[in-house]
C-alpha cells in the first residue's frame, strides 16, 4: 500500500489536529500537577485521552498512519475508560459525590484491549493491511465497531447523567441566565460532534467522521478559554439539583443546632483554607453524612456548600488584604483556599462588589 504524498492540505490538517492534541496533553499534565486529588486525576485522564484521540485522528484522517501504523488505534482503550470515569466526574462535579473507582469500571477498556490484540501482534505491514480493509473484512468491522463504540459510550455516559439528574431536578430558570449561555453552547457542540462521528461510523460517511474530528480541537479551545464562565453555571446547576432533592427530604437523627456548633468550631480552625476541602471531607469532620450536610446548608442558608465556604474564604481574604499590604493577591488567594487567582477575583467581585486590588486601594484611602 502506497504512502500518501505530502501536500499542503494534508500538512495543515495534520497540524490542526496535532495542535489540539498537544494542547490537551499539556493541559492534562498541568492540571495533574496543580490538582493531585482523585477528581484532579480523573479530569486529567479525560484530557489525556482526548489528546491521544486527536493525535491518532491526525494520523488516520491525513493518511500519515502509513508511516507509523502502530499508533492508529492506541486511543480506543483510553477513551473507553474515560467515558466511564466521566460519569463519576459528573457526579462529583454536580452532586458532590466522592469519586470511587472500582475494578468493573475498567471492563470496557479491558475488553477493547482483547479485541486489539490481533492488530498489535502483527507486523507493520499486516497492520496497514487491516487498516486498508476496515470496511471489507470481518476484523475490520470489529475495529470500526470499537471506534463507533467509544463515541456511543461517551454519549451514554453523559446522556444517562442528564436524564437521571439534570432533567428531573434542574429548574429551567438556571439555563436562561447569561452565565449559562457559553456552557450550554459547549454542551450542545459536544453532542453535535459526537453525533456526527457516530453517524459517520454507522453509515461510513467519511465527511461526517472528518468533520467530527476537526471540530474537537475547537471544542477544547472553546472550553479552556471559557471555563471560568463554566464554574458559576456548575454551581447553579448543583444548587438546583440539591434544592429539588431536599425539598421532599428531612434531616433526621441530627439536630440543626448540633451541626451549627460543629461547623462553628471547624470554621474557627479555618478548615476552609484547605483548597481540597469538599462536602464529603467537611461532613466527615462534622460527623454527619454528606447528604445531611448538603441538606443542612440549603435548609439553614438557602444555598450550597461552596457558597458557604467561599463566604469564610472571602472574609479571611479581606482581613489579609488589609493586614498584609505587601502580600500579593495570588499569595492571599492560595492562603484562603482558592486554587486560581481568576476564580478568587471572580468570587471576591461577586461577594464584595469590587476586585481584591480595588478593595485594598479603597481601604487605604479611607
Amino acid at each position: 500500500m502506497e504512502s500518501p504524498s505530502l501536500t499542503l492540505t494534508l500538512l495543515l490538517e495534520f497540524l490542526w489536529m496535532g495542535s489540539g492534541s498537544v494542547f490537551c496533553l499539556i493541559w492534562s499534565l498541568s492540571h495533574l500537577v496543580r490538582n493531585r486529588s482523585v477528581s484532579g486525576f480523573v479530569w486529567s485522564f479525560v484530557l489525556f485521552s482526548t489528546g491521544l484521540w486527536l493525535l491518532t485522528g491526525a494520523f488516520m484522517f491525513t493518511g500519515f498512519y502509513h508511516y507509523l501504523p502502530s499508533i492508529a488505534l492506541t486511543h480506543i482503550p483510553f477513551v473507553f475508560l474515560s467515558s466511564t470515569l466521566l460519569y463519576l466526574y459528573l457526579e462529583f462535579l454536580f452532586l458532590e459525590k466522592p469519586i470511587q473507582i472500582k475494578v468493573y469500571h475498567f471492563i470496557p477498556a479491558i475488553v477493547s484491549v482483547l479485541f486489539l490484540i490481533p492488530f498489535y501482534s502483527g507486523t507493520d505491514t499486516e497492520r496497514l493491511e487491516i487498516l486498508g480493509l476496515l470496511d471489507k473484512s470481518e476484523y475490520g468491522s470489529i475495529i470500526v465497531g470499537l471506534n463507533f463504540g467509544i463515541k456511543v459510550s461517551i454519549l451514554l455516559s453523559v446522556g444517562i447523567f442528564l436524564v437521571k439528574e439534570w432533567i428531573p431536578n434542574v429548574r429551567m430558570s438556571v439555563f436562561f441566565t447569561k452565565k449559562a449561555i457559553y456552557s450550554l453552547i459547549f454542551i450542545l457542540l459536544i453532542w453535535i460532534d459526537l453525533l456526527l462521528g457516530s453517524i459517520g461510523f454507522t453509515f461510513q460517511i467519511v465527511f461526517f467522521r472528518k468533520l467530527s474530528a476537526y471540530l474537537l480541537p475547537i471544542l477544547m479551545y472553546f472550553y479552556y478559554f471559557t471555563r471560568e464562565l463554566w464554574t458559576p453555571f456548575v454551581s447553579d446547576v448543583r444548587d438546583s439539583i440539591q434544592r429539588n432533592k431536599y425539598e421532599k427530604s428531612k434531616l433526621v437523627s441530627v439536630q440543626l443546632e448540633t451541626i451549627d456548633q460543629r461547623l462553628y468550631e471547624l470554621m474557627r480552625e479555618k478548615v476552609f483554607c484547605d483548597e481540597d476541602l469538599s462536602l464529603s471531607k467537611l461532613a466527615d469532620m462534622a460527623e454527619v453524612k454528606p447528604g445531611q450536610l448538603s441538606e443542612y446548608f440549603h435548609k439553614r442558608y438557602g444555598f450550597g456548600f461552596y457558597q458557604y465556604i467561599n463566604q469564610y474564604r472571602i472574609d479571611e481574604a479581606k482581613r489579609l488584604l488589609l493586614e498584609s499590604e505587601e502580600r500579593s493577591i495570588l499569595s492571599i488567594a492560595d492562603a484562603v483556599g482558592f486554587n486560581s487567582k481568576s476564580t478568587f477575583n471572580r468570587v471576591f467581585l461577586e461577594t464584595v462588589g469590587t476586585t481584591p486590588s480595588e478593595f485594598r486601594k479603597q481601604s487605604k484611602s479611607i
Side-chain angles (χ1 to χ4, degrees), residues 96 238-239 242 277-280 282 293-294 297-298 303-310 313:
E96 299 176 334
R238 183 193 299 123
D239 285 348
Q242 293 175 345
L277 185 65
S278 64
L279 177 69
S280 299
L282 184 61
L293 185 58
S294 182
F297 285 134
H298 285 284
F303 49 72
F305 162 76
Y306 285 101
Q307 288 89 332
Y308 177 83
I309 293 300
N310 283 341
R313 288 174 172 172

Side-chain angles (χ1 to χ4, degrees), residues 66-98:
H66 287 90
Y67 304 107
L68 192 62
S70 59
I71 199 175
L73 308 176
T74 52
H75 66 290
I76 292 178
F78 290 93
V79 179
F80 267 121
L81 180 55
S82 280
S83 65
T84 304
L85 296 182
L86 183 59
Y87 185 87
L88 299 179
Y89 186 75
L90 291 173
E91 285 192 323
F92 162 78
L93 200 61
F94 292 104
L95 306 181
E96 299 176 334
K97 287 187 177 180

Side-chain angles (χ1 to χ4, degrees), residues 76-299:
I76 292 178
F78 290 93
V79 179
F80 267 121
L81 180 55
S82 280
S83 65
T84 304
L85 296 182
L86 183 59
Y87 185 87
L88 299 179
Y89 186 75
L90 291 173
E91 285 192 323
F92 162 78
L93 200 61
F94 292 104
L95 306 181
E96 299 176 334
K97 287 187 177 180
I99 296 177
Q100 296 181 331
I101 302 174
K102 306 293 184 182
V103 174
Y104 59 80
H105 292 142
F106 292 87
I107 292 178
I110 293 172
V111 171
S112 69
V113 169
L114 295 177
F115 278 119
L116 291 173
I117 288 176
F119 178 79
Y120 283 104
S121 61
T123 63
D124 280 354
T125 302
E126 291 170 333
R127 290 170 190 156
L128 287 173
E129 184 177 350
I130 291 172
L131 294 173
L133 299 172
L134 288 180
D135 57 346
K136 298 177 182 178
S137 67
E138 186 175 336
Y139 185 63
S141 299
I142 293 176
I143 300 300
V144 171
L146 288 174
N147 272 296
F148 174 72
I150 58 177
K151 294 179 180 293
V152 172
S153 66
I154 296 175
L155 283 171
L156 284 175
S157 181
V158 177
I160 291 173
F161 183 82
L162 293 179
V163 171
K164 184 180 176 183
E165 301 295 345
W166 272 38
I167 294 177
N169 295 312
V170 180
R171 292 174 170 82
M172 289 300 297
S173 59
V174 173
F175 299 105
F176 293 101
T177 59
K178 289 184 178 180
K179 54 190 172 184
I181 293 176
Y182 292 98
S183 302
L184 292 176
I185 290 174
F186 174 72
I187 293 171
L188 178 63
L189 290 176
I190 283 286
W191 274 71
I192 291 174
D193 182 31
L194 293 172
L195 188 60
L196 286 174
S198 300
I199 293 173
F201 275 103
T202 302
F203 300 102
Q204 290 299 295
I205 305 174
V206 177
F207 174 75
F208 278 7
R209 288 159 59 184
K210 276 194 171 185
L211 184 59
S212 173
Y214 297 149
L215 180 60
L216 191 53
I218 296 176
L219 294 176
M220 300 313 296
Y221 291 134
F222 180 86
Y223 174 70
Y224 181 82
F225 291 110
T226 61
R227 68 191 191 281
E228 287 302 323
L229 298 171
W230 170 262
T231 302
F233 173 68
V234 169
S235 180
D236 287 348
V237 172
R238 183 193 299 123
D239 285 348
S240 184
I241 291 174
Q242 293 175 345
R243 188 178 298 113
N244 188 66
K245 283 187 170 184
Y246 299 141
E247 279 177 351
K248 301 177 182 178
S249 172
K250 292 182 179 179
L251 275 170
V252 294
S253 74
V254 180
Q255 295 292 326
L256 294 181
E257 291 74 16
T258 303
I259 302 180
D260 284 339
Q261 183 60 33
R262 291 172 182 170
L263 289 179
Y264 171 75
E265 293 170 356
L266 289 169
M267 294 306 110
R268 285 190 62 185
E269 296 172 9
K270 298 184 179 181
V271 299
F272 53 83
C273 291
D274 178 7
E275 69 175 35
D276 294 323
L277 185 65
S278 64
L279 177 69
S280 299
K281 194 171 182 179
L282 184 61
D284 286 340
M285 296 177 184
E287 300 178 356
V288 294
K289 296 178 181 178
Q292 290 176 319
L293 185 58
S294 182
E295 183 176 356
Y296 161 84
F297 285 134
H298 285 284
K299 282 186 176 293

Side-chain angles (χ1 to χ4, degrees), residues 12-39:
L12 289 175
E13 289 178 351
F14 183 82
L15 290 176
W16 169 246
M17 295 188 66
S19 69
S21 171
V22 172
F23 176 77
C24 287
L25 294 174
I26 293 175
W27 185 6
S28 168
L29 181 61
S30 64
H31 184 79
L32 185 61
V33 170
R34 289 184 288 105
N35 189 346
R36 299 183 182 181
S37 63
V38 176
S39 62

